[in-house]
Amino acid sequence: MSQDPVADLELLIRSRHGIIHVDSIEDERVQQVLRLVSDKLTVPFFIWTRTHGICRDGYSNGIYDTTDALKALAHVAAADTAAVYHFVGFGTLLENEAVVDRLKSVSERLGERRGAVVMSGQDLAFPPGLSRLVATMKLPKPDVEEFRSMLRQVHRDIARRSHVHVDLPPADETRLLNSLKGLTMLEAARVVTRAIVRDNRLTADDIQEVIQAKKEIVEREGVLEYYTAEMSMTDVAALAGLKDWLAKRKLFLTQADRAAEFGLSFPKGILLIGVPGCGKSLCARAVATEWGLPLLKLDTASLYNKFVGETERNFRRALETAERLAPCVLFIDELEKAFGGGGGTEDGGLSQRVLGTFLTWLQDRNGDVFTVATANDIERLPPELLRKGRFDEVFFVDLPDATARAEILTIQLRLRKQNAATIDSASVVRATEGFSGAEIEQVVVSGLYSAFAAGGALTTEALVAEAQATRPLSVTMAEKVAALRQWAKDRAVSAN
């Protein structure tokens, strides 16, 4: 289907599709589209609800005795004139065999004349005998111009009752409208209305209202976590190669129109492979902050459900939620835990089915979702995930060198309100040879606890002592670290 729902629906109706499913929760937008379609087809437009029955659009009185679904469908089948009908809230009735049988006959009757029964809603379960008669299309998400028109309308409506102070330069208005992406028109109108009514002002500060609304959507769905992006790239030590790569892609966000004309599209994402504790997860949070995008985390443990089919459904819902809130950053930590089950008899093939869904989505996603995935155990990752095109690039994050360890130490001291000038960083750097960033952080934390217990200040000696008492992963898991480095040598780009 194209991005023109009016043309798509008109084509389906002219093609004698008697039953059409519009995959959308926005009944109001569906009705707006159907009004335009009925005008182009020069046929009347009717709306059915359980409370009012069949009503002609623009009229308040319903057709007598049509609140019952079976009687409403009988009326549609018996009508001699062509018409378009929107049946709202019809999903649960598809479990009724009599209703399904009546829909089949309606489909045959409407196939003889120009008209259709249109049902809206997500995840409508059409029985096998009926599904072959149903044409399904998706309603495109609202674009910036639709949101702009809504913003103007809400402003006019409120301004009729009270004065509204508007301080929204063009650049801030664009930011506000872009932040509305992912909301339905009804949700967006409510958020904008609430933001204006609260203080009779419309400013750039109201973008936070939109962010909060998106957070509530994520929490309501329950399959993703909405993270407040607090880290920035200044909190990430070293990784110059990765930072340079991300900086070039950030230009797409600030110059999207120019980039599109240049033939570029929104970046897909990156896979970060490396030694645990070297800053892979920190990078995901920092990307969201640097790019000014919402950060969604997919908790792989929450996906799996003991009921057949629920895991796949949870995963699809998570991906759909991410697309709905695009543009955003989707963070998937320790990817091997979600897709490293092997797909054999040990899990009934569940991992393979979920992996197939993920691979398809990575290739054909609908929405500007930048995926940041991390992995520690490369041997458990399916080879299909590593193929070019799934991610834009695969980076290897190695243990920090001496320069990076000094930078990490400085950052950790600063975050904990310590004066780095009082510490001999060279001594600590030498003592932390082979340490990951997380292990250096724990050296600082342990040193602070020791200093606090002793009632004194943090010293170089305390940090060196803590480092000497620590056995880093590079020692306890030396073979695995060496194997990971060998694998990445010719298969991944160095992030350092």
Side-chain angles (χ1 to χ4, degrees), residues 11 57 428:
L11 177 61
D57 188 38
V428 180

Side-chain angles (χ1 to χ4, degrees), residues 27 71 75 94 110 115 155 166 178 201 206 224 232 247 270 272-273 297 303 306 309 319 328 332 405 421 472 484:
D27 292 330
K71 293 180 179 179
H75 173 85
L94 294 172
L110 290 176
H155 177 216
V166 179
N178 282 327
R201 294 169 58 86
D206 293 321
L224 294 173
S232 68
I270 53 176
L272 303 177
I273 296 172
K297 181 181 179 182
L303 287 177
K306 64 181 179 180
L319 298 178
C328 64
I332 308 177
R405 293 200 302 279
L484 187 58

Side-chain angles (χ1 to χ4, degrees), residues 316-344:
R316 284 195 298 270
R317 200 164 80 246
L319 298 178
E320 287 170 359
T321 301
E323 287 184 351
R324 186 181 172 196
L325 298 184
C328 64
V329 175
L330 177 63
F331 174 38
I332 308 177
D333 200 15
E334 296 183 331
L335 197 62
E336 66 271 25
K337 290 186 177 179
F339 306 117

Side-chain angles (χ1 to χ4, degrees), residues 10-325:
E10 182 188 4
L11 177 61
L12 288 174
I13 294 172
R14 288 186 181 277
S15 302
R16 295 295 192 264
H17 286 280
I19 302 177
I20 300 172
H21 169 217
V22 179
D23 189 1
S24 172
I25 60 173
E26 298 186 80
D27 292 330
E28 297 82 1
R29 283 188 72 214
V30 173
Q31 288 176 11
Q32 291 174 5
V33 171
L34 290 175
R35 287 187 184 100
L36 296 174
V37 172
S38 60
D39 285 344
K40 293 187 71 173
L41 295 172
T42 63
V43 298
F45 173 43
F46 296 89
I47 302 169
W48 177 89
T49 61
R50 297 191 190 197
T51 53
H52 296 95
I54 297 177
C55 296
R56 183 160 184 173
D57 188 38
Y59 292 80
S60 57
N61 295 325
I63 297 173
Y64 176 72
D65 202 23
T66 57
T67 54
D68 178 79
L70 280 172
K71 293 180 179 179
L73 291 172
H75 173 85
V76 173
D80 293 328
T81 58
V84 174
Y85 301 86
H86 183 202
F87 276 63
V88 181
F90 205 77
T92 57
L93 295 172
L94 294 172
E95 299 174 4
N96 187 313
E97 291 185 7
V99 169
V100 171
D101 289 340
R102 187 59 58 85
L103 276 170
K104 292 177 183 177
S105 63
V106 165
S107 176
E108 293 176 6
R109 290 282 293 136
L110 290 176
E112 300 169 1
R113 62 178 189 267
R114 193 167 54 185
V117 166
V118 179
M119 287 176 274
S120 55
Q122 284 186 331
D123 299 323
L124 297 192
F126 293 98
L130 181 62
S131 60
R132 63 183 180 82
L133 303 175
V134 179
T136 299
M137 63 165 282
K138 282 185 174 289
L139 192 65
K141 292 181 290 189
D143 58 25
V144 170
E145 290 309 312
E146 287 183 87
F147 285 131
R148 195 187 308 277
S149 298
M150 176 275 299
L151 182 65
R152 301 282 188 268
Q153 184 62 51
V154 169
H155 177 216
R156 284 195 298 269
D157 291 344
I158 298 176
R160 293 192 188 104
R161 303 188 298 270
S162 60
H163 174 70
V164 177
H165 174 71
V166 179
D167 182 14
L168 205 64
D172 288 335
E173 181 181 83
T174 299
R175 284 178 56 220
L176 175 62
L177 295 174
N178 282 327
S179 68
L180 290 172
K181 289 179 179 178
L183 301 178
T184 66
M185 288 299 292
L186 182 59
E187 289 168 339
R190 286 174 175 170
V191 170
V192 171
T193 301
R194 183 173 64 190
I196 296 176
V197 169
R198 188 183 65 248
D199 55 6
N200 284 336
R201 294 169 58 86
L202 183 61
T203 67
D205 293 337
D206 293 321
I207 294 175
Q208 291 303 314
E209 287 275 351
V210 180
I211 294 173
Q212 181 60 32
K214 289 187 172 183
K215 183 178 180 180
E216 291 170 2
I217 289 173
V218 171
E219 292 173 347
R220 186 170 67 237
E221 291 293 332
V223 289
L224 294 173
E225 298 176 50
Y226 192 106
Y227 271 58
T228 301
E230 298 173 344
M231 299 291 183
S232 68
M233 281 301 173
T234 58
D235 299 311
V236 180
L239 304 185
L242 175 60
K243 288 180 178 178
D244 180 64
W245 190 95
L246 290 169
K248 291 176 181 176
R249 271 70 184 173
K250 182 182 178 181
L251 290 174
F252 182 92
L253 300 175
T254 57
Q255 304 176 35
D257 292 340
R258 178 171 165 265
E261 291 177 2
F262 203 70
L264 296 173
S265 57
F266 192 86
K268 289 184 176 182
I270 53 176
L271 174 59
L272 303 177
I273 296 172
V275 182
C278 286
K280 300 186 296 297
S281 301
L282 181 62
C283 281
R285 298 196 293 273
V287 170
T289 302
E290 290 290 315
W291 289 9
L293 298 178
L295 175 62
L296 309 178
K297 181 181 179 182
L298 176 62
D299 182 6
T300 54
S302 68
L303 287 177
Y304 288 87
N305 193 292
K306 64 181 179 180
F307 298 109
V308 176
E310 279 300 307
T311 297
E312 295 97 316
R313 191 174 296 112
N314 285 343
F315 192 51
R316 284 195 298 270
R317 200 164 80 246
L319 298 178
E320 287 170 359
T321 301
E323 287 184 351
R324 186 181 172 196
L325 298 184

Side-chain angles (χ1 to χ4, degrees), residues 359-379:
L359 292 175
T360 301
W361 180 80
L362 283 174
Q363 200 73 34
D364 305 319
R365 74 192 71 176
N366 295 311
D368 296 340
V369 181
F370 185 79
T371 305
V372 180
T374 69
N376 298 323
D377 190 348
I378 192 64
E379 293 180 358

